[in-house]
Amino acid sequence: MSPLLGEVIPVTSKLGYPLLTFLVFLPAMGAVVAMFVPARRPELTRAVGYVTSVATFGMALFLLTQFDTNPLKPGFQLFEDHSWIGALGVRWTLGVDGISLFMVALSALLFPVALLASANISKPKSFTIWMLLLESAMIGVFLALDAMVFFIFFEFVLVPMYFLIAGWGHDNRRYAAMKFFLFTMAGSAFLFAGILSVAFMRQHSTHVLTFDVRALTDWAAAHIHGGTAKVLFVAFAVGFAVKVPLFPFHTWLPDAHTDAPTAGSVVLAGVMLKIGAYGFLRFAIPFFPQAAVDLAPLLLVLAVVGITYGAIVAAMQPNLKRIIAYSSVAHLGFVVLGVFALTNQGISGGLFTMLSHGLTTGALFLLVGMLYDRRHTYELSEFRGIWKVAPVFGGLFVAATFASIGLPGFSGFVGEFLSLLGAFLTSRWYVVVASTGVILAAVYLLWAVQRAFTGEPDDANRATPDIGAREIVTVLPLLGLSLFLGFYPKPVLDRLQPSVEALIHHVELNSDYKAPTVPPAPVAAPEQGTGK
Amino acid sequence: MFFLDQAWLVPLIPAISFVVILLFGKRMPRQGSEVGVVAVGASFLLSCGAVVRWILRVHDAEGGSALGAFGRSIGRIGADHAEVPVLPVLHHVTWFQNGGVRLTAGIQIDGLAVVMMFVVTLISLLVHVYSLEYMRGDRRFTYFYAALSLFTASMLLLVVADNTLQLLVGWELVGVCSFMLIGHWWEEKPNSDAALKAFLTTRTGDIGLLTGVIMTFFIVQRATGVGSFNIVALNQAVSDPSSKVGHTLILWCAAALMLAIVGKSGQFPLHTWLPDAMAGPTPVSALIHAATMVVAGVYLGARVYPVFFHGFSIGDGGVNPMAAIGGITVIVGALLAFVQDDIKKVLAYSTISQLGYMVMALGVGAWTAAVFHLFTHAFFKADLFLGAGSVSHSGSHHSFDMKTDMGGLKKYMPQTYKTFVIGTLALAGIFPLAGFWSKDEILVNAGHNNYKLFLVIGLVGAFMTAAYMTRCVYLTFHGEYRGGHEPHAIPHVDEAEHDPIDTPASVEHDAEVHPPHESNRLLTGPLWVLSFFAVFAGFLNFPHFSRFEKWFQPRYPAGFAEILHPVAFNPILATVSVLIAGAGIGIASAYYLGKLPQGLSERNAIARAGKRFLVNKYYLDYVYENVIVAGIKGPISTGVYWFNQNVIDNVLNYTGRGAQALGRATYEYVDQKGVDGLVNGIATLTGESGGEVRKIQTGRLQFYALVLVAAVVIFAGVLWIST
C-alpha cells in the first residue's frame, strides 16, 4: 500500500453516519426546498438559502473538529464507500484528507457570505437555487474519491456557474459565460480522456474496472511509465491548467470575472480556481510521479510567467474588477510554483495560498461589488476620493489590498513565503523571478487604490454612501480570518502536513526524485545566554 | 533580568496601543493621542531599563562590580574587552512549523538591540509629544496617532528580532506605515504619488531581502545541517572558517541583502524616493525618514555583518560594492542638497548623504563607527527636521520654501534658531558635538583599514555637508524676512493648509493675523532634548574612554567579534576634518554674506550645465518615471495585453468562429436533412455565443434548475437503492 493512502480504512466512517454525504447533499436539499417556495415570497427563498448554507458551514466546522490531526495518519478520513453503477465500476466513494479539508471548509464559508452579499439581487429564487446546487457540486468535487464521480461534479460545477454569469452578470455576460463554458469544457475533454485511459489500461491489465482514486493511483504510479505517462500527465495537466488557470489558458478568467455577479466572482475566485490546483495534487502528480517530476520545469515556467504576466497585464487595466481578476492569475501562479517545487514547504505553501487567496480575493470582490452597487461601474477613471466620503469602506478596501499583496500579518504572506522557500530548494532562479511578482502586486493594486480612493471626490462620487452593517458582516469574517491565519497559521499547517508528506513520499517511491529534505529542527533548541 | 528577558514587551505595548487607538481613539478626550504617548513612554522606560541592564551585564561578564561599569576610569578598559564573550539574551517561541522548517518569533537582546531600542523609543516619544501641537486639528488626527503607534511597534519588532524572517516582517510593516504616513494628506495627488513611489522603490529592494532571507536559511542549513533563520546561527555559520558554506552562496546572499539596504536606506541609485517622502507631515519625516526606518538598512547590515564582511571580502581592503555604494551616496546626496530651495529636501538629501556614510562605514570594516554614527545622526537629524517643522508651523506660514517664505527668522524664533544651529554644527562634525566623534571614527577606520579612497570621500563629504548646512541656516534664519506675503499654493508641502475648516490652527496662524513667532513648548521641548543629545551623545566614544564600543559592540559569536577591529583616535585626522568642515562653513558664509563672486551659474556655461544636472536630480527620476514605470504602465503592459487579446485569445476566437462555422454548416447541411439533434444543440450554443441575444427568462431558468434538481434526486435515489 502506498504511503499516500494510509491504512486500510473501514467502509463506513467512525461517526456511524455519512457526514461527508450529508455535506455534499445538504445544499442540494436546500435547492429542492427552494423550488417549492413560491416566487412571490423572495424573503422565504433567501431564508432557505441562508439557513442551508449556514447549516452546511456548521457541518464543515464539525468536520474540522472531527478531522484526526494525528501526523501518523496521512490517509483519507471519514471514508465512505458504496457501490453505485456496478457495471461501470463507478462507486460512491468519499473521503477527506489534509489536501481537501480546507477547500471544503472554504467553500462552505464562502457560500453563505456570497448569498448574504447578494441580498438585493433580482430573481432571488432561481439565483438561490443555482447557488445551492453550485455549492453541492463544489463540495462534491473536493470530497469525491472516485474519479468518475469527481469528473461528474467537476463538470456539473460549470452548469450553475454558466447560468449565474449569463443570468445575473453585467454587459458582456453572454460572451463571458460562453467563453468560460467552452474553455473549461475543452479542458475537461482532455481530463475525461485521461481518466478513461488510466481506468481502461488498468482494466486491461487486472481485468477489474474501477475508478477508485486509490486503486488507480497505486496502479498508475507503478505501471505507467515513460512516454505514455507523459502523454497522460499532459492530458490531466491541460484539464486542470485551464481551471487554475495557468498561462496561456487564462484568458477566460478576466472576462468571466468582469461580467460575473459579485457572488459568482467570489465563488469563482474563491474555490473554483482551486479545483485545478487540487486536481494536480490529487490526480496528475500521484498518478504519474515520474512524468510530474520530468515535466515540473515546464509547469514552473508557466507558473512564473503567470505571476509576472498577470501582474503586468493587471497594471494597465482600466477596470477595477479586471485588475483583481488578473491578480488571481498571479496568485495562482504562486500556488503552482509551490506545488511543482515538489517539496514539503512548497506544496504546503501552495495549499495555504489557495486558502488565503480565497479569503483575500473573496473580500476584494465583495468590496468591488459594493462599489458597483453604489456607482454602477467598475471603471477606475470614474472613481475619485471614495475614501474621503466612505472612510470605513476605504479603510477596509485598503486592508484587503494589503492582505492581497501578501503583507506580513495577513495569511497571504505565510503562503507565498512558504511557496518561495519550498521552491528555492529545487528551483532557485524561478524564485528570484517570482519574487518580482510580489513587488508588481503592490504596483497594480496600490496604484488602483490611489486612483479610486485618494484625491478629492468629484461630484459623481461625493454622495457615495459608506459601508452598511450587512456588507460589513460579509467582509469582516474573510479579512479577520486572513489576519488570524497570518498570525497563527499552525492549525491549518498541522492538518495539511501529514497528507503533504505522504504525497511527497509517494512521488519519491515511484520516481527517481529525491525531495531535498530539511532535517527536523530539535524540539527545544538550547537557549543561549538567557538572563539569570 | 526583567528588562532584557522581557524586552518583547517593548514592541508589544505600541502594538496594543495601535489597536486601542484604531478602535476607540475617536471617542477619547484627546482623540487617542494620550494612548499613543503613554504607550511609547512606557516602551521608552523599558528600553532605558534594558540599556542599563545590558551595561551591567557587560560589566558582570568582565567580573567587575556593578558600580564600576559607570565609574571605572580610563585605562585598562579598551585593551582587554575583546576576549570576554558577552552572550546576547535570546528567547523565542515557535510561530509555526512546517516539515523540518521551524519558524520562530523571538528576541535577541544585545548591545546593538538596546541602542536601537533606546533611539527608536526616545525619538518616537518626542515625535508623539511634538505632534500633539503640530498636528492639532488635523482631520485624521486619531488615524495619525494609530499609524505612529503601528510604526513604532513594527520598527521595534524589527530591532529585537532574533531571526531574519521576523526582521523581514518588521521591515515590510514599517514600509507600509511609511506609505500610509507619507500619503497622510492623500487628498492631494502629489502626496499619494510620493507615498506610492516610496513604497514601490523600497519594495524593489525587498526583492533582495526576500531572496536574501531565504538564502540565510540555507546558509545555516549547510553549516549545521539544520536550516534556520536564526541570526546568531547565521553569523556563526558564515564566520566559522571551517564552515561548509561556500563563498559563492555568501556572496549571493550579501548581494541580495545589499539590494534591500539600497532600497530602504536611500542609497544610490534607489535614493530618489526619500526626498519625495517629505510630502508627509514633518514629525513623520523626523521619525521615519531620518532617524529610524531609513536606518533599518544600516541596522540590517550591522545585524548580519559577517555575511557582508565575508561575502564582499571587506577585510581585504580595496573597493567593495558596499563601500562603493555608500561612498557614491555620500557625494551624490550632498551635491543635491546644494540646489534645494525646500528646507526639508535639503535635510532629506543630507540624510541620504549621511546614510551613505553609515553604509560606507560598514563597507570599510568600521562596524562600531557605523552604528555610532547611526546613533548620533538620529538625534541631530531629528532635531533639524523638527526644527524645520517648527519654522513652518510658526514662522513661514506652513511653507517649506526657504527662498520665498523664510529668512531672518533668527530674531523671531530664537529657540528654534539655537537648536537648529546646534543640530547643524553636530551634523557638520564640529568639535566637540556628536557628529564630530562619529564621523571622525568612520574616517579614521577607513584610513586604517586601507580604504584611503573612502577616507578622501569622507573628507570631501564633510566639507560639502558643512557648506550646504550653512546655506540652509543662512537662508532660513539670516538676512531679511521674505515671508508675510500671500501664501501661495505649493500643494505637496503646504501642511495643514489643506482644509482650513478642519484646521483651526492654520487659521490662527494666518499670515495677515500674526507675524512669525516662536513655537510653543510642545514643539521647542523636544527640540531641546534632541539638542542635548546632539551635543553630548558623542562623548560616549571619547578616545580611550570608548564606552560605546565597550558596551555595545557584539562579542558573540566569536567569529563576529574577531572581525571588529577598533582603531585608535587620530588627533591629526580629527583636526584636519574639523578644519575642513570649518572651511565649508566659512566659504559658504562668505558667499552668502556677499564676499565671494556671485552668480557663477549665470555666467559660466559649465557651471550652469552642472546646476541643471543637479536640479534635475541626475535625471534619475526621469529615467525611473518616464522610462521604467511609464514603460511598465504603458507600452510594456499594453504590448503584453495586446498579445493577450490578439494572440492567445484569438486562438480561442478563431476556434470559436470555426466551431460556429462548422455548426452553421452542420445546421445547413446535416440538420436541415433532419439527422442529428445533438448537433442542433451545439449549433444553438455557438449561435448564442455569436451574439444572438435571447433573454433567459425566469421560467426557463427554473426549468433548467428543475431538471438539475431532478437529476440530483435521481442520482441520490440510485445511490440509496444500490447500497
Side-chain angles (χ1 to χ4, degrees), chain B residues 490-503:
Chain B
I490 311 168
H492 62 297
V493 288
D494 272 8
E495 303 189 5
E497 205 175 62
H498 305 290
D499 203 340
I501 303 143
D502 288 2
T503 49

Side-chain angles (χ1 to χ4, degrees), chain A residues 21 25 28 31-32 35 39 82-84 92 123 125-126 129-130 133 149 152-153 156 159-160 162-163 166-168 174-175 178-179 183 247-248 250-251 255 309 312-313 315-317 322 326 344-345 348 387-388 398 402 405-408 413-414 417-418 420-421 424-425 428-429 431-432 435-436 438-440 442-443 446-447 450 453-456 486-490 493-494 497 501 517-525 527-532, chain B residues 1 5 57 60 87-92 94-103 139-140 143 165 168-170 172-173 176 179-180 186-189 192-193 196 199-200 203-204 206-207 210-211 213-215 217-218 221-222 225-227 229 232 236 249 252 498-499 556 632-634 636-638 640-641 643-645 648-649 652-653 656 685-686 688-689 692-698 701-702 704-706 708-709 712-713 715-716 718-719 722-723:
Chain A
T21 303
F25 283 109
V32 174
M35 291 292 308
H82 307 279
S83 76
W84 181 30
W92 179 252
K123 296 174 279 176
K125 180 170 170 178
S126 35
I129 292 168
W130 286 124
L133 287 176
V149 177
I152 290 168
F153 281 127
F156 187 81
V159 179
Y162 172 83
F163 284 107
W168 287 268
R174 292 308 181 81
Y175 173 72
M178 187 51 67
K179 192 173 182 182
F183 231 111
F247 176 89
H250 64 278
T251 59
D255 288 326
Y309 177 95
I312 289 173
V313 176
M316 65 81 63
Q317 298 302 323
R322 250 182 132 76
Y326 274 108
N344 196 329
Q345 286 70 40
S348 303
W387 203 349
K388 189 156 189 183
V398 171
F402 282 128
I405 65 179
L407 185 75
F413 175 76
V414 177
F417 189 79
L418 275 176
L420 290 175
L421 183 68
F424 193 85
L425 279 161
R428 57 195 55 174
W429 288 107
V431 170
V432 176
S435 61
T436 60
V438 176
I439 313 309
L440 289 169
V443 176
L446 286 178
W447 191 40
Q450 186 203 14
F453 285 87
T454 67
E456 283 290 350
F487 274 96
Y488 193 61
K490 190 172 181 299
L493 289 172
D494 281 355
Q497 201 56 58
E501 268 168 19
T517 48
V518 181
V523 175
E527 305 217 329
Q528 298 144 326
T530 54
K532 287 175 185 165
Chain B
M1 290 201 198
D5 287 328
R57 185 183 174 90
D60 284 352
L87 302 184
V89 175
L90 299 170
H91 290 290
H92 63 258
T94 300
W95 181 24
F96 64 88
Q97 196 159 4
N98 183 277
V101 180
R102 212 158 74 95
L103 303 181
R139 82 176 75 92
R140 278 186 288 274
Y143 169 88
L165 178 60
L168 168 74
V169 169
E172 295 287 338
L173 289 176
V176 169
F179 168 78
M180 303 300 276
W186 41 249
E187 279 82 355
E188 282 75 28
K189 190 155 182 298
S192 57
D193 278 345
L196 206 56
F199 192 68
L200 298 182
R203 256 182 107 89
T204 307
D206 292 356
I207 300 176
L210 199 57
T211 45
V213 163
I214 291 176
M215 281 189 250
F217 180 88
F218 293 105
Q221 193 194 9
R222 281 213 191 149
V226 179
F229 293 103
V232 173
Q236 243 160 356
L249 180 58
W252 277 112
H498 305 290
D499 203 340
Y556 184 85
I632 290 177
K633 281 180 182 173
I636 294 176
S637 184
T638 315
V640 173
Y641 190 60
F643 176 76
N644 191 64
Q645 295 304 91
I648 302 179
D649 227 22
L652 174 84
N653 285 341
L685 283 178
T686 46
E688 235 173 59
S689 76
E692 278 184 69
V693 182
R694 266 178 301 149
K695 263 216 158 86
I696 296 180
Q697 281 129 16
T698 319
L701 273 177
Q702 280 179 342
Y704 280 112
L706 184 68
L708 280 168
V709 169
V712 170
V713 170
F715 180 76
V718 170
L719 179 73
S722 60
T723 48

Side-chain angles (χ1 to χ4, degrees), chain A residues 125-364:
Chain A
K125 180 170 170 178
S126 35
F127 180 82
T128 308
I129 292 168
W130 286 124
M131 283 294 280
L132 291 174
L133 287 176
L134 183 60
E135 179 168 17
S136 267
M138 207 75 94
I139 293 176
V141 165
F142 292 116
L143 291 177
L145 288 185
D146 184 286
M148 203 45 86
V149 177
F150 168 84
F151 186 76
I152 290 168
F153 281 127
F154 186 85
E155 288 297 279
F156 187 81
V157 163
L158 301 182
V159 179
M161 203 54 172
Y162 172 83
F163 284 107
L164 284 171
I165 296 175
W168 287 268
H170 305 304
D171 307 336
N172 207 7
R173 57 180 184 259
R174 292 308 181 81
Y175 173 72
M178 187 51 67
K179 192 173 182 182
F180 159 76
F181 198 87
L182 290 181
F183 231 111
T184 40
M185 281 289 270
S188 307
F190 287 91
L191 176 63
F192 191 55
I195 291 175
L196 289 181
S197 309
V198 173
F200 289 143
M201 282 166 79
R202 183 177 183 280
Q203 188 195 21
H204 188 72
S205 136
T206 64
H207 305 292
V208 179
L209 180 62
T210 177
F211 291 95
D212 188 317
V213 171
R214 298 162 309 155
L216 291 183
T217 306
D218 265 1
W219 188 83
H223 294 94
I224 303 183
H225 300 293
T228 323
K230 284 206 178 95
V231 169
L232 286 173
F233 177 82
V234 169
F236 277 85
V238 169
F240 296 131
V242 169
K243 260 300 201 267
V244 167
L246 212 51
F247 176 89
F249 306 108
H250 64 278
T251 59
W252 62 270
L253 177 89
D255 288 326
H257 267 309
T258 314
D259 291 312
T262 299
S265 295
V266 169
V267 173
L268 191 59
V271 276
M272 235 175 107
L273 304 185
K274 277 73 176 202
I275 297 175
Y278 171 80
F280 277 117
L281 289 167
R282 180 67 79 223
F283 296 94
I285 295 174
F287 279 18
F288 316 106
Q290 184 64 56
V293 171
D294 293 342
L295 295 176
L298 174 69
L299 285 142
L300 288 171
V301 167
L302 292 183
V304 169
V305 169
I307 291 171
T308 44
Y309 177 95
I312 289 173
V313 176
M316 65 81 63
Q317 298 302 323
N319 179 312
L320 187 53
K321 206 170 179 188
R322 250 182 132 76
I323 291 178
I324 299 165
Y326 274 108
S327 85
S328 290
V329 176
H331 276 120
L332 271 291
F334 274 104
V335 173
V336 176
L337 176 73
V339 166
F340 278 92
L342 292 173
T343 58
N344 196 329
Q345 286 70 40
I347 297 181
S348 303
L351 282 167
F352 200 87
T353 307
M354 281 158 72
L355 176 59
S356 160
H357 173 259
L359 299 172
T360 55
T361 306
L364 275 178

